[in-house]
Amino acid sequence: MGAFFWRAKALAAFVLLLWVVQVVNWITGYGFNPAFGLIPRHVSGLDGIIAMPLLHGSFSHLMANTPPLLVMGGLLVATATRALLAVNAVVIGLGGGLVWLFGSSAIHIGASGLVFGWFGFLVARGLVDRSPITLGAALLVGVLYGSILWGVLPGQPGVSWEAHLFGAIAGAAAAFVIRTQVHAPRLGDVNLE
């Protein structure tokens, strides 16, 4: 139980960090975005792979990302025990790397790639692990946030659909590559008779 509270505090601290960065970014006239945002196929934009989730274009942009970060992050905190750092490394590294390689010529910012990565991980992990807990988390995420999948389609100006798409792909890949510890029986191991 102590580890759960430590992970929950880390999630709260991360979300608080996003808000602190947003305030400082706003005060500086959003100077962080061109300096640290992800710029595809430019060496100067490589640091954006890591910095992109920390940067937002407005308070409403961050406000839109905060609830899903808290809900999906809470589900990860509750169910992904020792794998949180590895999952986030894959989502941020692979997802951001794919945006850097294949994204449109723009400055990509925002935590929505992380949100889509967590969504992809939670849904795919339910199918991979098949435990009642992971299937329940996948179902909950699907019901609450299934409509975000429309965000992986191009068409909305100013929205990095590439970060959404590659984040979701990276999250699903993490579910297949990283085995998480959930202390519950797999459905395949449960005798239903």
Side-chain angles (χ1 to χ4, degrees):
M1 201 60 153
F4 169 78
F5 286 116
W6 183 89
R7 291 189 304 267
K9 286 181 199 176
L11 174 63
F14 173 69
V15 173
L16 178 62
L17 173 66
L18 294 181
W19 281 93
V20 169
V21 169
Q22 172 59 22
V23 168
V24 174
N25 200 11
W26 173 71
I27 289 170
T28 64
Y30 291 99
F32 289 173
N33 293 353
F36 300 107
L38 190 153
I39 303 169
R41 294 168 302 283
H42 288 267
V43 173
S44 64
L46 272 171
D47 57 354
I49 291 173
I50 295 171
M52 179 176 67
L54 303 173
L55 304 171
H56 290 82
S58 66
F59 283 97
S60 60
H61 184 200
L62 178 54
M63 182 59 77
N65 283 330
T66 298
L69 282 171
L70 290 171
V71 171
M72 288 188 243
L75 287 169
L76 282 171
V77 162
T79 64
T81 60
R82 297 184 184 110
L84 284 175
L85 290 177
V87 168
N88 285 312
V90 170
V91 168
I92 292 169
L94 178 61
L98 289 171
V99 172
W100 188 83
L101 286 171
F102 302 112
S104 62
S105 296
I107 299 172
H108 296 261
I109 55 169
S112 57
L114 187 59
V115 167
F116 277 77
W118 289 355
F119 177 87
F121 175 79
L122 287 164
V123 170
R125 186 183 58 162
L127 302 173
V128 170
D129 287 352
R130 297 182 327 269
S131 78
I133 291 172
T134 58
L135 283 170
L139 182 62
L140 181 62
V141 166
V143 167
L144 291 177
Y145 294 106
S147 64
I148 71 169
L149 288 176
W150 293 109
V152 302
L153 300 175
Q156 190 173 0
V159 174
S160 176
W161 64 271
E162 300 99 325
H164 298 175
L165 174 64
F166 293 133
I169 290 169
F176 285 94
V177 173
I178 300 166
R179 301 306 293 176
T180 59
Q181 298 295 321
V182 177
H183 301 292
R186 293 174 171 263
L187 287 183
D189 299 335
V190 175
N191 186 355
L192 298 175
E193 295 177 12

